[in-house]
Amino acid sequence: MHREENMSISDYSHTIVQYDSKSYRINGNQVFLNSAAIHYFRMPREEWREVLVKAKLAGMNCVDTYFAWNVHEPDEGNWTFEGDNDCGAFLDLCAELGLWVIARPGPYICAEWDFGGFPWWLNNKEDVVFRSYNKPYLDYVDRYFDAIIPIISERQVANGGTVILVQVENEYGYLADDEKASDYMLHLRDGLIKRGIEVPLITCVGGAEGTIEGANFWSNADQHYENLRNKQPDTPKIVTEFWTGWFEHWGAMSATQKTAALYERRTLEVLRAGYSGISHYMFFGGTNFGNYGGRTVGASDIFMVTSYDYDAPLNEYGRVTEKYSVAKKLAYFVKAIEGLLLNSMEGVSIDSLTSVSKGFTVRYRELGNQRIWFVESGKDERETAYLTLANGNTIPVTVKPGAITPVLERMEIAPNVRLTCNTYLLCNEEIEGIHTLIIAADNGERSWVEIDTEQSIQLLGLRPQLMKLSADGKRLTLDNYHFEEPQVISLSIGDKHFQLVFVNGEMTNNTWRLEDHTGIRWALGYLDMDISGDGSIKVTLGRSGNGVLHLGKWDTKAVATTGISPYVHLETPEISMLTSLAVVLSPTEGGISGETPIGFSELGQPYGHILYTCDFENDEDEERTVVIPAVQDIIRVYVNGREQQLIREVGASCVLLKLQPNQTNRLQLLVQNMGRLNFSPFLGEIKGIAGTIFLDGGTVDLREHWQYENKNIHLGQVSKVEPGTAIHRTFTLKDQDRAILVGAMIDKLSINGIQIEVKGYQDGVSFLTLDISSYIRDGVNEIELCYIESPIDRLELIAYHSKNQLNGWHMQDADLLDRVEDQNGEFLGGPVWHTLQFTRPELPEDVHAKLKLRLTGMSKGIIKLNGIDLGRYWQIGPQEDYKIPMAWLQDMNKVELFDEEGRNPLRVRLLYDLQSSERWTYI
């Protein structure tokens, strides 16, 4: 296949959205893009307005969203753009609220979303090579673009919408450099242009001719900025994904390591480096409803939890967090100094301009004589640094340990009026004809502010307690404590009135900039909110003071009462149990049969559970092993109806079976699709089990007994060996002609002196499964690899003989099975369906409740609400609660749990979240 001739770069020009090396310009105005990453497909449509308005109130002027192909074409040819999937309506709502949009249509989006956004059925297509210049693949991509791009194109700024940038693919630089990626990326670029995209095109992590590249990161802002500047010196630098938190996966710790304090510091590092835009990924994460949580690389079983809370500024339920306050404060600060920030350059003459207290460091950006200083602390507690400037002024600057505080030096806030300030400036604009400065410092802190001008300063009203006015009246210096109550200082300079409003940390959180088609307004304190359909915002944000809203006690038949319990205790739920796995299933009961197991996609089943069954004759052995060479999901192993193993380490597996001697034994494997790879060079893995399974294999932990300079090295331990050093060991095989290497590997590996190509991300450790059968020999074998930075969890050799095939399998959708008693009426354990019915609770109008399900005591499975798939659960942490969208409730509701172990749901509870008594009323 040959790519079509490149389209002219001039085709990218746009009259409304322009750019230079400093910034984007929209309608001729420089704009710092503060973008909120929000995915419409991770929440009900009814929640869009609430989340978007909260983003706007936090100072976000833009929304960044992916478009998920698998959401819009869940089955081939079945397109859905209605209801929760109406992405056009989402873009229209952004426009109504005055929010610009960065559109990211993929086709690959990553996003910790199943298959990176590709539809499951695409994995069944012959000759498709994902994310490549491959005609069969691109034919499907072009068809997807035909459906999705017109929706975006119609809503570009030139067409009355607010789409200002469109992204080409996503993070392709992790797979290949720009030269190797060129044919593929330019096919996608040209495909966007041909379908009407006129706004500038961007990329992230990897570029393409005629596009603007951004960077994705959390730290090392300077390094990423330098890379972008060297690559594209004439384009604005934007953080296309600034990772506000991180995703979580089953069996890991909560991903809450990126604290609000770190978030503030990292944001200031971005501003200090000179970026002209930040996309806060995520600003609101939402939920992986419908089993859409993905799987990523790094270990064998990194499967996403159902929550995509991401520890973001807005949590999974759309509630504000501590990070929301940080994002809002920084966004307001950026808006207040936007012109200076976007036009300033990195300063270089530090020594001639300033000196600072020991234990602190400084950097600055400057525009003429105006500067923004960034004072960084190396102390272990909050201290006051003293910054002496070239003009002799010594400014006290309060900095928390390891934090950064911004300082403004002689910033021109009006013609010939300059502000020097040692803390955050939140507002710098006219409010009802008065030029207003809102100056914020944390609770208990002081601020130092100086205004100098060419004319005399006249104080109006009450004089500040601590102030100094120069003899000529042209310099006013204020030393101010920030109380709980805002303090207002009024003054005039010439015929222009100014007011300085000093707020503390608590009041900063409740300071709001409201902008709509009626103009700009500011409010301090709690407000009521009424967002009407005409785009105006009338807000009242407040707390009802009623404490936690309580739900009454429910059971399956009773309606909600007005008790005092904060949750619903399911004491007598109606239980409908799934088929006991002890029951012998006949192929006539459903499903299909074959010599070998078949995976999910091949069976036409996107998600859920598949039960694999095989009967085999056993001799006098009471124990034998079974080898599953291709394992991509968690497997429960049953023998003769009883669970014996839980296979959690995927890739390949060898497990011990306890059997009945001298009779037929039944092996059953219950597999849940835990999510397809969303970030990997190996997209398109077979979910479930596919291929031949073998009896009588063996396994060796290859982390042990490595040799280096007569030293014995264990890869599961920390060793003093330089990464990349060659190490070796031996292993012995007897009567085994097949072998699989599974675990953490790097790109240099040889067996018996033969080099083996290890594919993956360049210069990185990958979790891989390698068939090394063609390299092994009977007897002693030698393996050599480069030392990997230890410890690693797994490097295992699984060996078996090809003659020991286990054939004759039956596959059935386990989610659809009904209970069947065995001949004695005994339930031996296994999956169970639980159902609970409850009425929609009646709530006061001023209560904005959020509902969640806490699955205490359950094992692993899926949740449904009124037939809607809410996603997977697994009670190994870190997720404990599961979102129940209020928008999806009916007058009478049914919750269904498919529990793999059949555990009793008596401790399962429905709860309101802690903020359910706080009023954020949306109309």
Side-chain angles (χ1 to χ4, degrees):
M1 179 180 178
H2 300 284
R3 192 183 58 77
E4 299 173 15
E5 184 179 351
N6 288 355
M7 299 189 72
S8 171
I9 300 306
S10 63
D11 293 333
Y12 289 90
S13 62
H14 196 276
T15 57
I16 298 178
V17 183
Q18 299 175 324
Y19 59 86
D20 54 27
S21 62
K22 296 176 181 178
S23 65
Y24 290 98
R25 292 179 178 271
I26 304 176
N27 292 317
N29 299 316
Q30 276 190 305
V31 176
F32 186 100
L33 288 178
N34 248 314
S35 182
I38 297 168
H39 300 156
Y40 61 91
F41 47 83
R42 279 184 154 128
M43 60 180 148
R45 178 174 182 163
E46 290 81 355
E47 296 179 7
W48 291 350
R49 184 177 291 272
E50 172 186 351
V51 169
L52 290 174
V53 168
K54 286 180 176 177
K56 184 179 177 71
L57 287 171
M60 301 295 112
N61 58 9
C62 186
V63 168
D64 169 324
T65 190
Y66 283 125
F67 295 78
W69 183 357
N70 51 12
V71 165
H72 295 297
E73 195 181 10
D75 297 299
E76 186 174 3
N78 177 26
W79 294 95
T80 169
F81 293 100
E82 302 81 28
D84 297 338
N85 300 333
D86 192 343
C87 53
F90 180 81
L91 298 180
D92 292 341
L93 182 56
C94 291
E96 175 193 323
L97 296 173
L99 292 163
W100 307 118
V101 173
I102 301 173
R104 307 171 80 185
Y108 167 78
I109 64 172
C110 185
E112 289 70 60
W113 193 251
D114 187 69
F115 210 170
F118 293 127
W120 66 272
W121 50 263
L122 195 58
N123 209 29
N124 290 339
K125 301 303 179 181
E126 292 185 4
D127 302 322
V128 163
V129 181
F130 296 100
R131 303 185 72 190
S132 70
Y133 194 64
N134 163 261
K135 187 178 187 307
Y137 163 69
L138 290 176
D139 285 346
Y140 285 102
V141 170
D142 288 339
R143 196 188 64 175
Y144 163 64
F145 271 13
D146 286 341
I148 197 71
I149 301 306
I151 295 173
I152 299 170
S153 176
E154 291 168 5
R155 291 162 174 86
Q156 295 176 99
V157 286
N159 298 327
T162 52
V163 174
I164 57 169
L165 299 172
V166 176
Q167 182 173 297
V168 181
E169 233 264 1
N170 188 62
E171 297 182 327
Y172 202 78
Y174 290 126
L175 290 183
D177 61 32
D178 290 356
E179 183 177 354
K180 292 180 180 179
S182 178
D183 283 346
Y184 172 58
M185 291 291 284
L186 294 186
H187 177 92
L188 299 181
R189 183 203 72 175
D190 294 351
L192 296 175
I193 298 171
K194 289 175 182 177
R195 292 169 177 85
I197 298 301
E198 299 175 343
V199 296
L201 300 176
I202 64 170
T203 63
C204 65
V205 189
E209 182 185 358
T211 68
I212 305 168
E213 185 173 346
N216 296 357
F217 62 84
W218 160 251
S219 56
N220 298 317
D222 292 330
Q223 177 183 337
H224 289 286
Y225 185 90
E226 188 66 20
N227 292 341
L228 292 177
R229 183 169 63 181
N230 290 338
K231 194 171 182 180
Q232 293 185 326
D234 299 325
T235 65
K237 311 302 179 286
I238 184 172
V239 189
T240 35
E241 288 185 14
F242 181 58
W243 299 321
T244 65
W246 204 240
F247 54 81
E248 294 182 336
H249 61 276
W250 302 113
M253 295 188 296
S254 294
T256 54
Q257 65 273 18
K258 295 177 180 176
T259 64
L262 268 176
Y263 181 34
E264 181 171 348
R265 176 194 168 93
R266 297 296 187 221
T267 306
L268 287 167
E269 289 174 353
V270 170
L271 301 181
R272 183 178 67 184
Y275 289 89
S276 56
I278 302 174
S279 184
H280 301 257
Y281 189 100
M282 298 294 297
F283 193 86
F284 164 80
T287 311
N288 295 320
F289 293 121
N291 289 288
Y292 275 119
R295 169 194 178 195
T296 196
V297 296
S300 66
D301 59 344
I302 301 184
F303 297 106
M304 300 302 113
V305 300
T306 296
S307 170
Y308 199 63
D309 179 270
Y310 211 81
D311 194 27
L314 289 177
N315 73 11
E316 183 180 7
Y317 300 87
R319 304 297 197 186
V320 298
T321 68
E322 190 177 355
K323 287 182 180 177
Y324 180 88
S325 299
V326 170
K328 181 163 75 75
K329 179 175 70 173
L330 268 297
Y332 284 19
F333 174 64
V334 166
K335 183 65 179 177
I337 66 167
E338 190 170 31
L340 171 58
L341 185 65
L342 291 177
N343 293 289
S344 61
M345 301 293 291
E346 173 84 11
V348 293
S349 304
I350 292 285
D351 294 338
S352 63
L353 289 173
T354 186
S355 58
V356 68
S357 301
K358 185 177 180 180
F360 298 87
T361 57
V362 292
R363 284 170 54 183
Y364 70 97
R365 301 190 63 79
E366 65 179 348
L367 176 62
N369 292 324
Q370 304 177 79
R371 296 184 182 90
I372 313 167
W373 293 90
F374 298 88
V375 183
E376 183 174 346
S377 172
K379 302 284 189 173
D380 56 8
E381 63 181 58
R382 185 185 72 181
E383 288 192 24
T384 298
Y386 289 93
L387 180 68
T388 300
L389 304 177
N391 63 5
N393 272 352
T394 297
I395 303 173
V397 185
T398 302
V399 194
K400 295 184 177 65
I404 298 172
T405 295
V407 175
L408 302 176
E409 180 189 359
R410 306 190 82 233
M411 186 181 98
E412 191 164 356
I413 58 175
N416 298 316
V417 180
R418 294 165 292 274
L419 170 73
T420 301
C421 176
N422 71 344
T423 186
Y424 283 101
L425 178 65
L426 302 184
C427 173
N428 176 30
E429 58 192 354
E430 286 200 0
I431 301 177
E432 296 182 354
I434 301 176
H435 194 119
T436 301
L437 306 177
I438 300 179
I439 298 163
D442 282 347
N443 294 352
E445 293 185 4
R446 308 188 73 88
S447 61
W448 186 97
V449 175
E450 185 173 271
I451 294 177
D452 67 272
T453 180
E454 305 300 323
Q455 303 179 65
S456 296
I457 300 171
Q458 302 295 322
L459 289 167
L460 307 174
L462 296 175
R463 293 173 63 86
Q465 291 286 315
L466 298 178
M467 58 156 283
K468 182 185 295 184
L469 188 61
S470 63
D472 61 4
K474 296 180 180 180
R475 178 180 288 111
L476 174 66
T477 306
L478 301 169
D479 177 2
N480 212 68
Y481 183 82
H482 290 246
F483 291 97
E484 294 290 334
E485 293 293 330
Q487 302 164 72
V488 180
I489 297 173
S490 298
L491 51 91
S492 65
I493 301 173
D495 59 357
K496 188 174 182 63
H497 283 195
F498 292 82
Q499 61 180 353
L500 283 70
V501 182
F502 294 85
V503 295
N504 72 350
E506 181 68 23
M507 188 53 66
T508 298
N509 295 342
N510 294 291
T511 296
W512 307 94
R513 184 179 188 272
L514 314 175
E515 182 177 4
D516 56 32
H517 67 275
T518 65
I520 298 171
R521 291 163 291 134
W522 284 80
L524 275 66
Y526 296 110
L527 305 164
D528 279 333
M529 177 175 293
D530 175 7
I531 304 150
S532 43
D534 64 359
S536 63
I537 304 176
K538 304 169 189 142
V539 189
T540 313
L541 311 172
R543 301 170 186 263
S544 65
N546 294 331
V548 176
L549 181 68
H550 297 297
L551 289 173
K553 176 181 176 182
W554 301 340
D555 59 30
T556 49
K557 297 181 180 179
V559 298
T561 61
T562 54
I564 59 172
S565 173
Y567 56 84
V568 182
H569 192 173
L570 311 183
E571 294 183 350
T572 56
E574 176 185 328
I575 301 176
S576 171
M577 284 188 272
L578 180 70
T579 305
S580 164
L581 290 179
V583 177
V584 176
L585 296 174
S586 166
T588 60
E589 293 179 349
I592 67 171
S593 298
E595 282 298 292
T596 59
I598 302 173
F600 275 80
S601 295
E602 294 73 13
L603 289 169
Q605 181 174 331
Y607 306 104
H609 292 76
I610 291 177
L611 180 67
Y612 297 85
T613 302
C614 181
D615 296 333
F616 64 96
E617 300 297 325
N618 185 40
D619 51 21
E620 68 276 4
D621 292 325
E622 294 186 0
E623 291 185 347
R624 298 178 73 177
T625 58
V626 62
V627 173
I628 310 174
V631 177
Q632 301 295 347
D633 294 284
I634 312 303
I635 302 177
R636 291 190 185 273
V637 181
Y638 297 84
V639 176
N640 300 323
R642 295 185 183 274
E643 183 177 345
Q644 290 194 2
Q645 298 276 356
L646 177 68
I647 300 175
R648 179 176 171 184
E649 290 188 325
V650 302
S653 186
C654 178
V655 296
L656 182 66
L657 305 179
K658 295 181 180 180
L659 304 173
Q660 295 295 325
N662 302 310
Q663 67 179 57
T664 299
N665 284 257
R666 168 155 289 188
L667 172 65
Q668 293 182 299
L669 307 174
L670 180 64
V671 185
Q672 182 180 19
N673 181 346
M674 294 297 293
R676 296 171 179 85
L677 285 167
N678 59 262
F679 181 79
S680 170
F682 310 110
L683 292 178
E685 81 278 24
I686 295 176
K687 301 303 292 180
I689 304 174
T692 308
I693 292 178
F694 302 85
L695 287 172
D696 304 327
T699 181
V700 178
D701 185 350
L702 282 187
R703 295 178 303 164
E704 306 173 294
H705 308 309
W706 290 91
Q707 299 296 313
Y708 167 66
E709 293 184 347
N710 298 320
K711 297 178 183 177
N712 190 39
I713 300 169
H714 193 302
L715 299 183
Q717 302 170 355
V718 177
S719 302
K720 295 181 179 179
V721 177
E722 186 68 23
T725 302
I727 58 176
H728 63 92
R729 62 156 291 167
T730 60
F731 60 90
T732 302
L733 299 177
K734 184 178 181 180
D735 194 28
Q736 294 168 321
D737 65 350
R738 306 288 297 174
I740 295 171
L741 197 60
V742 57
M745 283 169 264
I746 203 166
D747 59 355
K748 293 181 177 63
L749 169 70
S750 67
I751 295 177
N752 297 323
I754 303 174
Q755 188 75 27
I756 301 175
E757 182 181 5
V758 179
K759 296 181 179 179
Y761 292 114
Q762 294 181 345
D763 301 322
V765 176
S766 298
F767 177 86
L768 296 170
T769 303
L770 291 180
D771 187 336
I772 59 172
S773 301
S774 60
Y775 303 92
I776 62 172
R777 60 197 177 201
D778 197 43
V780 178
N781 294 258
E782 183 175 48
I783 180 171
E784 183 176 292
L785 54 72
C786 288
Y787 176 74
I788 301 169
E789 188 172 354
S790 296
I792 61 173
D793 294 331
R794 188 184 185 194
L795 184 59
E796 187 176 9
L797 177 73
I798 298 173
Y800 54 96
H801 202 286
S802 56
K803 67 183 179 182
N804 297 325
Q805 295 183 17
L806 192 56
N807 296 324
W809 289 86
H810 180 76
M811 285 69 67
Q812 188 158 354
D813 182 353
D815 295 350
L816 302 179
L817 296 176
D818 296 321
R819 177 174 174 80
V820 179
E821 302 285 354
D822 65 12
Q823 58 184 1
N824 298 319
E826 181 182 5
F827 177 61
L828 300 178
V832 172
W833 275 109
H834 302 294
T835 64
L836 166 73
Q837 291 187 336
F838 66 96
T839 58
R840 175 194 280 273
E842 295 184 4
L843 302 171
E845 290 185 0
D846 63 349
V847 171
H848 190 46
K850 306 284 186 175
L851 191 62
K852 58 187 178 181
L853 189 68
R854 180 166 293 174
L855 297 180
T856 305
M858 305 308 288
S859 64
K860 177 175 173 287
I862 57 175
I863 311 168
K864 292 185 178 181
L865 171 71
N866 299 326
I868 301 173
D869 193 336
L870 297 185
R872 310 175 186 97
Y873 71 88
W874 194 2
Q875 288 301 100
I876 60 172
Q879 185 168 0
E880 182 178 13
D881 299 329
Y882 297 81
K883 182 176 178 179
I884 304 291
M886 300 293 286
W888 291 348
L889 294 182
Q890 303 171 359
D891 291 339
M892 179 62 70
N893 302 277
K894 182 170 73 171
V895 172
E896 299 171 275
L897 301 179
F898 178 89
D899 193 81
E900 292 182 10
E901 294 183 11
R903 293 194 178 186
N904 195 310
L906 292 181
R907 297 175 65 194
V908 172
R909 298 178 291 174
L910 282 164
L911 304 93
Y912 283 144
D913 79 329
L914 293 179
Q915 296 186 47
S916 282
S917 63
E918 300 185 1
R919 282 192 334 231
W920 285 64
T921 305
Y922 295 83
I923 300 176

